[in-house]
Amino acid sequence: MIDWKMYKDLTQTPGAPGFEKEVRQLMRNYLAPYSEKIVQDRLGGIFGIKTGDAKGPKVLVAGHMDEVAFMVTKVTSEGFLKFQTLGGWWSQVLLAQRVDIITSSGKWIPGVIGSIPPHILSDERRKKPVDVSQMFIDIGATSDEQVKEWGIRPGDSIVPHCPFVEMEGGNRLMSKAWDNRFGCGIAVELLKELQDVSHPNILYSGATVQEEVGLRGAATAATMIDPDVFFAVDSGPAGDIPGVKESFGQIGKGVVIRLFDRSMIPLPSMREFLIDVAEQENIPYQFFVSQGGTDAGRVHTINEGVPSAAIGICARYIHSHASIVDKDDIEATKAFAVALLKRLDHTAYESILGR
């Protein structure tokens, strides 16, 4: 059974790129009961280890802890906050959205990204997109001194505010940070599911940091672990909404197997391994092509090369305040990850290498 409360805890915990500490503490708590040992790289990536066959291939499975977010860059004399985006944002999804500023002491302070009411906008200004540099956050302060008294400083992180909501019908979930607390949850579920199950490899399962700002934590994690095979578990943008044509990804249609993105082309033998496992296990799957990238794009070039793949789900409205996912897709991804680990022995590994 999927632990949906864990996903609520994960998505609702703040974790801007470079500020993943609270998510990491939560991951450590969830990983610990199912891990022989927990390892952490120097940027903060965290992984639980489970040995099936000590002579088998070393398999790294990772989500990423960070979410697209913001950083305080300046406090105006009137008490408004100027900010910098962390990760890929389209400016038009920001105005009038709620945020939480996370102070260095761990205090959460609510705010809203300010917007000008239409009553006082000129016709010309209504037609022009608003650049992030023109935006500000209102936290209800009256001066920069009051902001300082509340503990906010330039450099503090800011995260989107969106509650975890089970939508009507019970099968779809809305929250912030599905990209990529979903992958973090699958990493925990994988270790949990393999507790009393034989698998022919050594599993490192957990999550990296700073994916949204350049796949940075993937490099440090892979250098530390030196895996034979890597699976990035991530959320991609769904293309099943009005206004989007000829795009990939439908929520509710199963696990996503990436064929191509700007960061990686998987080995053909890896692609065939993934398809064979999905079909033999009757796991619903769909192909995906993206202009984005995942941690697999960084890991597959580490050392002498690491055969890698990106699997996961598609989610509606990622890189915004609220995303929607389908429970069945999460179930399918869990089943797929477990099946891959059960089958990834030396013979499968050599086949993936094309030997």
Side-chain angles (χ1 to χ4, degrees), residues 143-160:
S143 68
D144 53 352
E145 284 301 316
Q146 190 170 44
V147 173
K148 188 175 181 180
E149 288 172 9
W150 292 351
I152 295 175
R153 301 287 190 279
D156 286 344
S157 68
I158 309 163
V159 295

Side-chain angles (χ1 to χ4, degrees), residues 11-280:
T11 57
Q12 292 299 296
T13 301
F19 297 85
E20 297 93 348
K21 183 178 180 179
E22 289 189 52
V23 183
R24 181 166 50 253
Q25 290 172 337
L26 189 60
M27 283 293 289
R28 182 178 293 276
N29 292 339
Y30 276 117
L31 290 168
Y34 312 115
S35 305
E36 299 161 10
K37 180 182 178 182
I38 291 178
V39 295
Q40 182 175 320
D41 66 57
R42 292 177 184 172
L43 286 189
I46 189 169
F47 306 90
I49 304 172
K50 184 178 183 298
T51 304
D53 181 351
K55 297 181 179 180
K58 192 186 298 182
V59 183
L60 174 58
V61 177
H64 64 83
M65 289 178 273
D66 57 318
E67 61 188 294
V68 289
F70 315 95
M71 178 189 287
V72 179
T73 56
K74 183 180 179 181
V75 180
T76 72
S77 59
E78 299 85 3
F80 297 107
L81 308 182
K82 300 293 287 184
F83 62 93
Q84 162 72 46
T85 56
L86 298 177
W89 286 94
W90 183 42
S91 63
Q92 300 313 286
V93 303
L94 295 179
L95 292 175
Q97 295 292 331
R98 291 181 62 184
V99 294
D100 291 305
I101 296 86
I102 315 300
T103 71
S104 57
S105 66
K107 183 179 179 181
W108 294 31
I109 295 179
V112 63
I113 299 175
S115 62
I116 301 174
H119 314 68
I120 51 178
L121 279 173
S122 67
D123 289 341
E124 185 64 27
R125 195 168 180 186
R126 289 188 198 192
K127 298 175 184 178
K128 293 182 178 180
V130 180
D131 189 76
V132 173
S133 64
Q134 298 174 281
M135 296 181 190
F136 58 89
I137 294 170
D138 190 338
I139 60 170
T142 59
S143 68
D144 53 352
E145 284 301 316
Q146 190 170 44
V147 173
K148 188 175 181 180
E149 288 172 9
W150 292 351
I152 295 175
R153 301 287 190 279
D156 286 344
S157 68
I158 309 163
V159 295
H161 180 97
C162 176
F164 186 95
V165 177
E166 184 176 87
M167 304 184 78
E168 191 70 19
N171 211 51
R172 290 184 173 171
L173 301 169
M174 178 171 64
S175 180
K176 75 175 188 69
W178 279 117
D179 180 12
N180 182 31
R181 307 294 161 67
F182 150 74
C184 296
I186 290 295
V188 174
E189 296 275 8
L190 179 56
L191 281 167
K192 181 179 179 181
E193 198 69 18
L194 291 175
Q195 279 306 287
D196 301 313
V197 176
S198 174
H199 60 100
N201 44 59
I202 307 166
L203 171 62
Y204 287 71
S205 192
T208 64
V209 297
Q210 298 192 42
E211 191 268 359
E212 297 291 3
V213 288
L215 317 179
R216 298 171 185 174
T220 56
T223 301
M224 175 183 70
I225 294 168
D226 191 21
D228 296 306
V229 177
F230 175 64
F231 296 112
V233 186
D234 209 339
S235 302
D240 60 351
I241 57 176
V244 178
K245 297 180 180 179
E246 298 182 3
S247 188
F248 291 83
Q250 300 180 57
I251 70 173
K253 298 297 184 181
V255 66
V256 164
I257 298 174
R258 287 199 179 212
L259 299 177
F260 170 89
D261 64 34
R262 63 175 174 79
S263 67
M264 189 191 72
I265 303 171
L267 295 174
S269 49
M270 172 64 86
R271 182 187 67 231
E272 294 306 314
F273 174 67
L274 298 177
I275 295 170
D276 287 348
V277 171
E279 293 184 346
Q280 290 171 21

